[in-house]
Amino acid sequence: MGSRLLPLLLALGALGADATGFRQVAFYLVLLAVIGAAAAAFVCVGDALAGKGSWLAGISSGLALALLLLGSTVRAAAAVGAGVPTLALSSLVLASLLYSLPVLGWVLEPLFRQPEFTQVAVVPERLQRG
């Protein structure tokens, strides 16, 4: 349940449901995304504290969870029959971007990696003829 892919897919599904007019489905998808985001954030932060994961994944998961909570709160407080609040949609988009941030770091990692040097053993010529 600690996968970052689950809340990302649920948030994107909620965006799609909002775009097609299924507001109630989008509301429940956001609530499910909050549960998945909480599990992913706990796992990512725990892995970062244990030294097994990256801090970028832990911080971005925590921020995405906060954004999903904010969006679900605004969405739940909206008037019945009214459109989806802009803050609710913006928080879904920003949470999706935060979940995609470690992928961007993974893609750009080769650009910032330091070259590794290998040592070559030089054998004197008199030992080579042996």
Side-chain angles (χ1 to χ4, degrees), residues 4 6 11 35 44 53 66 77 108 113 118 120:
R4 296 167 48 90
L6 176 66
I35 295 168
C44 288
L108 296 178
R113 185 179 297 160
T118 58
V120 178

mmCIF file of all heavy atoms in Angstrom, residues 4 6 11 35 44 53 66 77 108 113 118 120:
data_model
loop_
_atom_site.group_PDB
_atom_site.id
_atom_site.type_symbol
_atom_site.label_atom_id
_atom_site.label_comp_id
_atom_site.label_asym_id
_atom_site.label_seq_id
_atom_site.Cartn_x
_atom_site.Cartn_y
_atom_site.Cartn_z
ATOM 1 N N ARG A 4 3.732 4.991 -4.480
ATOM 2 C CA ARG A 4 3.396 6.365 -4.868
ATOM 3 C C ARG A 4 2.562 6.387 -6.131
ATOM 4 O O ARG A 4 1.979 7.401 -6.468
ATOM 5 C CB ARG A 4 4.685 7.145 -5.093
ATOM 6 C CG ARG A 4 5.519 7.306 -3.867
ATOM 7 C CD ARG A 4 6.916 7.800 -4.186
ATOM 8 N NE ARG A 4 6.946 8.921 -5.060
ATOM 9 C CZ ARG A 4 6.930 10.198 -4.656
ATOM 10 N NH1 ARG A 4 6.892 10.469 -3.394
ATOM 11 N NH2 ARG A 4 6.964 11.177 -5.528
ATOM 12 N N LEU A 6 -0.220 4.599 -6.729
ATOM 13 C CA LEU A 6 -1.645 4.518 -6.422
ATOM 14 C C LEU A 6 -2.277 5.895 -6.219
ATOM 15 O O LEU A 6 -3.264 6.222 -6.890
ATOM 16 C CB LEU A 6 -1.880 3.622 -5.208
ATOM 17 C CG LEU A 6 -3.324 3.521 -4.730
ATOM 18 C CD1 LEU A 6 -4.176 2.821 -5.774
ATOM 19 C CD2 LEU A 6 -3.399 2.817 -3.407
ATOM 20 N N ALA A 11 -5.497 10.445 -8.190
ATOM 21 C CA ALA A 11 -5.613 11.892 -8.393
ATOM 22 C C ALA A 11 -5.857 12.214 -9.865
ATOM 23 O O ALA A 11 -6.688 13.077 -10.192
ATOM 24 C CB ALA A 11 -4.356 12.600 -7.896
ATOM 25 N N ILE A 35 -6.036 8.390 1.308
ATOM 26 C CA ILE A 35 -5.623 7.192 2.051
ATOM 27 C C ILE A 35 -4.337 6.609 1.463
ATOM 28 O O ILE A 35 -3.393 6.286 2.180
ATOM 29 C CB ILE A 35 -6.754 6.145 2.041
ATOM 30 C CG1 ILE A 35 -7.954 6.683 2.796
ATOM 31 C CG2 ILE A 35 -6.283 4.834 2.654
ATOM 32 C CD1 ILE A 35 -9.209 5.863 2.617
ATOM 33 N N CYS A 44 7.597 6.367 2.512
ATOM 34 C CA CYS A 44 8.718 7.124 1.945
ATOM 35 C C CYS A 44 9.530 7.847 3.022
ATOM 36 O O CYS A 44 10.758 7.850 2.977
ATOM 37 C CB CYS A 44 8.208 8.121 0.907
ATOM 38 S SG CYS A 44 7.659 7.356 -0.621
ATOM 39 N N GLY A 53 15.802 5.140 1.376
ATOM 40 C CA GLY A 53 15.150 5.904 0.313
ATOM 41 C C GLY A 53 15.700 7.308 0.233
ATOM 42 O O GLY A 53 16.553 7.719 1.022
ATOM 43 N N ALA A 66 -0.444 16.646 1.927
ATOM 44 C CA ALA A 66 -1.034 17.882 2.441
ATOM 45 C C ALA A 66 -1.913 18.553 1.378
ATOM 46 O O ALA A 66 -3.002 19.054 1.681
ATOM 47 C CB ALA A 66 0.072 18.835 2.896
ATOM 48 N N ALA A 77 -16.419 21.112 1.308
ATOM 49 C CA ALA A 77 -17.090 22.310 1.815
ATOM 50 C C ALA A 77 -17.799 23.097 0.716
ATOM 51 O O ALA A 77 -18.501 24.063 1.023
ATOM 52 C CB ALA A 77 -16.079 23.206 2.515
ATOM 53 N N LEU A 108 17.065 13.248 -14.888
ATOM 54 C CA LEU A 108 18.146 14.237 -14.973
ATOM 55 C C LEU A 108 19.408 13.827 -14.227
ATOM 56 O O LEU A 108 20.420 14.521 -14.304
ATOM 57 C CB LEU A 108 17.652 15.577 -14.433
ATOM 58 C CG LEU A 108 16.527 16.242 -15.219
ATOM 59 C CD1 LEU A 108 16.112 17.531 -14.547
ATOM 60 C CD2 LEU A 108 16.933 16.492 -16.658
ATOM 61 N N ARG A 113 25.865 13.613 -12.582
ATOM 62 C CA ARG A 113 26.719 12.586 -11.992
ATOM 63 C C ARG A 113 28.186 12.899 -12.299
ATOM 64 O O ARG A 113 28.552 13.262 -13.405
ATOM 65 C CB ARG A 113 26.362 11.212 -12.553
ATOM 66 C CG ARG A 113 27.150 10.105 -11.881
ATOM 67 C CD ARG A 113 26.784 8.762 -12.401
ATOM 68 N NE ARG A 113 25.373 8.497 -12.098
ATOM 69 C CZ ARG A 113 24.651 7.604 -12.727
ATOM 70 N NH1 ARG A 113 25.162 6.911 -13.709
ATOM 71 N NH2 ARG A 113 23.401 7.415 -12.396
ATOM 72 N N THR A 118 38.904 5.091 -13.290
ATOM 73 C CA THR A 118 39.421 3.767 -12.943
ATOM 74 C C THR A 118 40.930 3.804 -13.019
ATOM 75 O O THR A 118 41.520 4.527 -13.825
ATOM 76 C CB THR A 118 38.876 2.690 -13.902
ATOM 77 O OG1 THR A 118 39.235 3.040 -15.236
ATOM 78 C CG2 THR A 118 37.364 2.598 -13.799
ATOM 79 N N VAL A 120 44.425 2.149 -13.911
ATOM 80 C CA VAL A 120 44.985 1.171 -14.839
ATOM 81 C C VAL A 120 46.369 0.805 -14.335
ATOM 82 O O VAL A 120 47.199 1.671 -14.058
ATOM 83 C CB VAL A 120 45.070 1.755 -16.264
ATOM 84 C CG1 VAL A 120 45.681 0.771 -17.217
ATOM 85 C CG2 VAL A 120 43.696 2.197 -16.725
#
